[in-house]
Amino acid sequence: MKEAFNFLTNQEPIFKTIVDQYGHPTIPSRPQGFETLVLLILEQQVSIDSAKATYLRLREKAIAFTPEKLVAFSEEDFRSVGVSRQKATYIKGLSQSIINNEIFLDGLPQKTTVEVREELIKIKVIGHWTIDIYLMFALHASDIIPIGDIAVVNTIKELFDIHNREEMLLLAEKWSPYRSHATFLLWHHYLNKRNRTVQYIY
């Protein structure tokens, strides 16, 4: 980790400013597997705190937090713990894919990031943002830039005055092979500037 941040602060003066001002960011870690993917589905387009509360209610209601248990949940079961109809559909879709052996989560750590993306994108309810965060948090991939993340995009706009997606990706190329750590720095700036903190479940 130290090597990654040394590389980035030498490569990008703005990153050095972030570290000087706010210190180093915390590197999140989550367990591999079904529960983390469900949590990421819940985190789509809402705050982490809101998703966390919903996840904890869902976990309490499910007791046995398995694909078999959640695929059997009714719409009312999901609604009673604050899961929207759309996200309930996503969770049941993920659960069914695992039950049908369309995806093998236990095999993902042995695959490359490209292979993991190819595997997970087969599931219609899983998009690139979810895959990026799973790669970073659960599989500890070091070279991911989640350009679909609104905080990352807004921070790049703010710090680099770049507003085009392709130009953002081009900028991030010089942060390779530590684009994940660059992302953590961007989030670190975003949160600290807004006096916000995030308490991850894991």
Side-chain angles (χ1 to χ4, degrees):
M1 185 173 69
K2 183 178 180 181
E3 177 184 345
F5 287 127
N6 285 343
F7 172 87
L8 290 167
T9 53
N10 288 328
Q11 187 80 8
E12 193 68 76
I14 287 177
F15 288 149
K16 186 177 186 308
T17 300
I18 293 172
V19 171
D20 288 345
Q21 188 168 2
Y22 302 120
H24 287 92
T26 299
I27 305 300
S29 181
R30 288 176 174 171
Q32 300 164 17
F34 175 66
E35 286 196 44
T36 289
L37 282 171
V38 171
L39 176 56
L40 290 175
I41 287 172
L42 295 174
E43 286 180 351
Q44 292 172 6
Q45 299 179 323
V46 300
S47 73
I48 288 176
D49 288 341
S50 173
K52 176 182 177 179
T54 303
Y55 168 80
L56 291 174
R57 290 193 298 267
L58 178 61
R59 204 172 190 279
E60 183 178 2
K61 187 176 185 66
I63 303 175
F65 204 93
T66 64
E68 291 78 10
K69 182 74 173 181
L70 292 187
V71 81
F73 265 30
S74 67
E75 184 178 320
E76 176 56 35
D77 288 328
F78 281 112
R79 187 167 56 243
S80 70
V81 294
V83 179
S84 69
R85 178 182 298 178
Q86 182 181 47
K87 289 188 177 180
T89 300
Y90 288 176
I91 291 168
K92 293 185 79 165
L94 169 64
S95 300
Q96 195 65 62
S97 295
I98 293 171
I99 292 168
N100 293 345
N101 295 320
E102 295 169 16
I103 183 171
F104 300 94
L105 298 182
D106 290 345
L108 295 183
Q110 286 73 51
K111 297 180 181 292
T112 67
T113 56
V114 172
E115 290 169 337
V116 169
R117 192 175 301 279
E118 290 174 348
E119 187 79 13
L120 289 178
I121 205 68
K122 294 175 188 175
I123 306 173
K124 293 180 180 179
V125 300
I126 299 293
H128 287 289
W129 179 86
T130 301
I131 296 169
D132 285 341
I133 305 305
Y134 189 80
L135 280 164
M136 293 171 66
F137 285 27
L139 298 180
H140 309 296
S142 64
D143 201 25
I144 303 295
I145 180 78
I147 211 66
D149 186 273
I150 190 167
V152 169
V153 169
N154 285 343
T155 305
I156 291 175
K157 288 178 180 178
E158 175 190 338
L159 296 178
F160 298 94
D161 194 27
I162 292 176
H163 300 265
N164 177 276
R165 182 180 184 276
E166 295 306 316
E167 290 180 5
M168 290 181 185
L169 290 171
L170 186 62
L171 169 71
E173 284 183 8
K174 68 176 182 176
W175 305 335
S176 184
Y178 299 116
R179 282 177 285 191
S180 297
H181 294 79
T183 299
F184 295 134
L185 285 166
L186 294 171
W187 280 331
H188 195 45
H189 172 85
Y190 180 89
L191 291 169
N192 277 281
K193 187 165 184 184
R194 291 159 179 80
N195 293 315
R196 289 174 53 192
T197 57
V198 170
Q199 295 294 326
Y200 293 102
I201 292 177
Y202 302 110

